[in-house]
C-alpha cells in the first residue's frame, strides 16, 4: 500500500507545488511515485514538463466527477514518477456537484483505491481554497505536511489549516490524516522577519499545537529553484551538487524518518528504515 502524503495550506503561493516536486525528486530513488494534482492551476504538469494533451475526463476531475478509472489518467513523467493532472478548472466542479452526496468526504478514497498497490508514495498537491477537496484529502491521505512561506499572512494561513484539520477530524467517524509537520519555505537568515516567523513556528511545536507534528528543516531562498523550474526538470538533475539540492535531500530524509517514528504501514516498514541510506547513496 502506498504511503499518501498531502501538501496543504490555506494560502496560495507558499510553495505547495514546489514541495511536492521536491519530494518526488528525492523519493523516486527509493520507490514508485505518483503525483496527484488536485489544484486547478495544474502546476505539476508545468513543473514536470509534461506535454500530454489528455482530455479532462482523463484527469482527477474526470475520476471524481464521472467515475472514470484512475488508471486511464496516469501520465508517465520520468523514471519512477507518474502524474495525474487536476483537469484545471474542471476540478472546481467537485465542490458544487458532490458536496450533498452521502459520504462525499470519502470520494477520493473510494475512486483512487485501485492505485494504492501500484505505488510506494502518492504525493497530493492541493488548492488553497477550503472546500470539499480538502475534506477528501484529510480522509484519504496518511500524512499532511504544511509549507509556510516566511511572511505573516502565510503564518496565519498555516494556523488556519491546522485548525481546519483538527476541527474536521474531530467531527467525523473515519480515520483522518496526521499532521506530520511544517516546512519553512524560502528562508533567508539575513531577514529579521524570517527569524521571527521561524521562532513563531517553533512555538507551535513546543506548545504541542501541531497535533504531534514537528518543524522540519527550512528550505533557503535560492535562485537554483527558479532555474530548475524554468528548465522543467528536477532539482537534483539540474544542480546535482548544489547546496539547495543537499538541503532538499536532507528534508526528504527527515520526513521519511518522521513517518517511521509515527508508525509507518507494515508493508513499508523495511523500506522506510532504509530510506536515509538509500537517499544518501543514490542521489
Amino acid at each position: 500500500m502506498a504511503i499518501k502524503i498531502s501538501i496543504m495550506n490555506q494560502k496560495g503561493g507558499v510553495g505547495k507545488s514546489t514541495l511536492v516536486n521536491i519530494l518526488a525528486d528525492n523519493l523516486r530513488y527509493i520507490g514508485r511515485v505518483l503525483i496527484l494534482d488536485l489544484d486547478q492551476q495544474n502546476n505539476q504538469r508545468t513543473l514536470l514538463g509534461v506535454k500530454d494533451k489528455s482530455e479532462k475526463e482523463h484527469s482527477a476531475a474526470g475520476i471524481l466527477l464521472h467515475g472514470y478509472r484512475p488508471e486511464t489518467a496516469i501520465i508517465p513523467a520520468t523514471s519512477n514518477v507518474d502524474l495525474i493532472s487536476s483537469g484545471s478548472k474542471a476540478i472546481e466542479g467537485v465542490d458544487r456537484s458532490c458536496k450533498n452526496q452521502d459520504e462525499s468526504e470519502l470520494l477520493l478514497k473510494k475512486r483512487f483505491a485501485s492505485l494504492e498497490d501500484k505505488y510506494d508514495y502518492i504525493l497530493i498537491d492541493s488548492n488553497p481554497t477550503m472546500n470539499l477537496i480538502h475534506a477528501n484529502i484529510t480522509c484519504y491521505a496518511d500524512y499532511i505536511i504544511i509549507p509556510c512561506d516566511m511572511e505573516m499572512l502565510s503564518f496565519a494561513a498555516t494556523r488556519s489549516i491546522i485548525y481546519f484539520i483538527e476541527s474536521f477530524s474531530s467531527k467525523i467517524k473515519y480515520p483522518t490524516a496526521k499532521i506530520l509537520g511544517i516546512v519553512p519555505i524560502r528562508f533567508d537568515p539575513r531577514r529579521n522577519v524570517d527569524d521571527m516567523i521561524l521562532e513563531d513556528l517553533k512555538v507551535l511545536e513546543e506548545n504541542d499545537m501541531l497535533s504531534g507534528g514537528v518543524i522540519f528543516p527550512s528550505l533557503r531562498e535560492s535562485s537554483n529553484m527558479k532555474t530548475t523550474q524554468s528548465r522543467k526538470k528536477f532539482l537534483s538533475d539540474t544542480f546535482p551538487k548544489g547546496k539547495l539540492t543537499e538541503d532538499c535531500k536532507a528534508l526528504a530524509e527527515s520526513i521519511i524518518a518522521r513517518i517511521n517514528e509515527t508508525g509507518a504501514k507494515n508493508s513499508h516498514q523495511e523500506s522506510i528504515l532504509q530510506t536515509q541510506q538509500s537517499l544518501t547513496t543514490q542521489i
Side-chain angles (χ1 to χ4, degrees), residues 131-163:
N131 55 21
L132 183 59
I133 291 291
H134 281 83
N136 268 265
I137 290 173
T138 305
C139 289
Y140 176 64
D142 299 310
Y143 302 100
I144 292 173
I145 297 173
I146 305 169
C148 182
D149 203 354
M150 296 292 98
E151 59 178 47
M152 290 308 302
L153 291 178
S154 180
F155 177 75
T158 296
R159 297 200 63 172
S160 294
I161 196 69
I162 293 169
Y163 175 78

Side-chain angles (χ1 to χ4, degrees), residues 3 143 178-181 205 212-217 252-265 268-269 272-276:
I3 293 175
Y143 302 100
K178 177 180 178 60
I179 298 175
L180 202 62
E205 179 183 353
V214 300
I215 306 301
F216 287 107
E253 291 173 350
S254 297
I255 288 171
I256 292 299
R258 184 63 184 169
I259 291 174
N260 182 50
E261 290 172 8
T262 58
K265 297 181 178 180
H268 283 77
Q269 192 72 28
I272 288 172
L273 289 170
Q274 296 173 349
T275 295
Q276 288 176 292

Side-chain angles (χ1 to χ4, degrees), residues 96-110:
R96 296 191 300 269
S97 301
C98 304
K99 63 182 178 182
N100 294 323
Q101 295 181 11
D102 291 338
E103 297 185 335
S104 58
E105 64 273 15
L106 297 181
L107 194 60
L108 194 63
K109 181 183 285 289
K110 294 175 180 178

